[in-house]
Amino acid sequence: AQTVTQSQPEMSVQEAETVTLSCTYDTSESNYYLFWYKQPPSRQMILVIRQEAYKQQNATENRFSVNFQKAAKSFSLKISDSQLGDTAMYFCALLQGAQKLVFGQGTRLTINP
Amino acid sequence: NAGVMQNPRHLVRRRGQEARLRCSPMKGHSHVYWYRQLPEEGLKFMVYLQKENIIDESGMPKERFSAEFPKEGPSILRIQQVVRGDSAAYFCASSPDTSDTQYFGPGTRLTVL
């Protein structure tokens, strides 16, 4: 069975600092997709970044980038120059069987002024 | 292009009543997914539908829960004879294809008294 593990329940950093959120996963599929979603206090699920497993290049979206280590089954999210609006729950997710997303338990990130 | 729409945003039901949750996918999206989020947990897959077909309902409880996505109109998640344990946030997501990014609606918060 596919699983996604986020080992950091909570993290807290100062505004403008860089923070890295960890995620490991397990899958027997050779091709899959990985995502980071953000859930702010409004509870809306917002896509942060997407990575296709067959692409070796790490995905980047403005201040957000990933470190995708396929052999280690690791998919960490780096947030540079963190802002107060980055405060949210962050969920790592694996697209399983090209159909359903499997989510980790989440990391609660707080950006302090 | 409007995002995924869900209504109602909040729903209160007494034990034994029925709950109907509606989801309108993004324009051009024919794949709909329902997820449930219990407090302080990640999202759990429930069911995946295409127009008039249930493709994967492996995450849906066998009793009291049903889902449909008719040819015309929104997708409906129906919970009969609700119990307190059904209290959760129910999210709908849609995608244009199976391997594509899933975009989420704002969710429906169900409270069972």
Side-chain angles (χ1 to χ4, degrees):
Chain A
Q2 281 81 345
T3 58
V4 177
T5 302
Q6 293 179 249
S7 58
Q8 304 152 312
E10 293 187 23
M11 294 189 72
S12 178
V13 299
Q14 295 299 119
E15 193 176 7
E17 288 184 346
T18 294
V19 59
T20 299
L21 308 183
S22 301
C23 173
T24 58
Y25 61 93
D26 190 23
T27 179
S28 56
E29 298 183 9
S30 57
N31 192 26
Y32 49 90
Y33 302 83
L34 293 159
F35 302 84
W36 280 96
Y37 283 90
K38 166 185 175 180
Q39 189 176 44
S42 66
R43 307 294 300 275
Q44 173 82 46
M45 291 292 289
I46 301 167
L47 174 70
V48 175
I49 203 163
R50 161 191 164 116
Q51 176 79 43
E52 293 151 4
Y54 64 87
K55 288 187 177 179
Q56 292 188 340
Q57 186 173 7
N58 289 324
T60 299
E61 287 288 343
N62 301 314
R63 297 183 296 109
F64 299 87
S65 61
V66 299
N67 184 4
F68 175 46
Q69 301 290 328
K70 191 171 184 178
K73 295 185 179 176
S74 170
F75 183 61
S76 61
L77 174 70
K78 185 172 85 170
I79 306 174
S80 303
D81 186 26
S82 57
Q83 301 174 1
L84 296 179
D86 296 332
T87 292
M89 282 289 287
Y90 285 81
F91 292 99
C92 179
L94 169 69
L95 187 59
Q96 172 186 338
Q99 293 181 354
K100 54 192 172 189
L101 286 167
V102 177
F103 285 86
Q105 289 294 92
T107 296
R108 185 180 303 280
L109 175 64
T110 302
I111 308 300
N112 299 306
Chain B
N1 188 5
V4 179
M5 309 290 286
Q6 288 189 251
N7 67 81
R9 296 290 304 275
H10 300 274
L11 182 62
V12 179
R13 286 286 179 267
R14 296 191 180 279
R15 281 179 295 171
Q17 292 184 319
E18 178 180 288
R20 279 182 179 246
L21 288 62
R22 294 174 184 78
C23 168
S24 296
M26 288 177 71
K27 188 175 181 181
H29 289 194
S30 59
H31 303 259
V32 167
Y33 312 80
W34 285 93
Y35 295 84
R36 177 165 65 176
Q37 184 179 33
L38 296 172
E40 304 303 317
E41 292 189 11
L43 280 69
K44 296 287 196 300
F45 168 80
M46 298 182 73
V47 62
Y48 160 43
L49 311 101
Q50 294 181 27
K51 282 287 187 182
E52 301 185 277
N53 288 302
I54 296 174
I55 308 302
D56 182 349
E57 57 182 348
S58 59
M60 196 122 86
K62 293 290 185 283
E63 297 180 354
R64 302 187 298 108
F65 285 73
S66 62
E68 62 177 10
F69 189 15
K71 187 177 180 181
E72 300 291 337
S75 174
I76 306 286
L77 179 66
R78 181 183 179 205
I79 312 173
Q80 295 178 290
Q81 299 175 321
V82 296
V83 301
R84 289 213 172 115
D86 296 332
S87 293
Y90 291 82
F91 288 91
C92 169
S94 73
S95 69
D97 198 355
T98 54
S99 298
D100 256 295
T101 300
Q102 295 180 19
Y103 294 92
F104 283 81
T108 293
R109 276 88 184 154
L110 172 65
T111 302
V112 179
L113 301 177

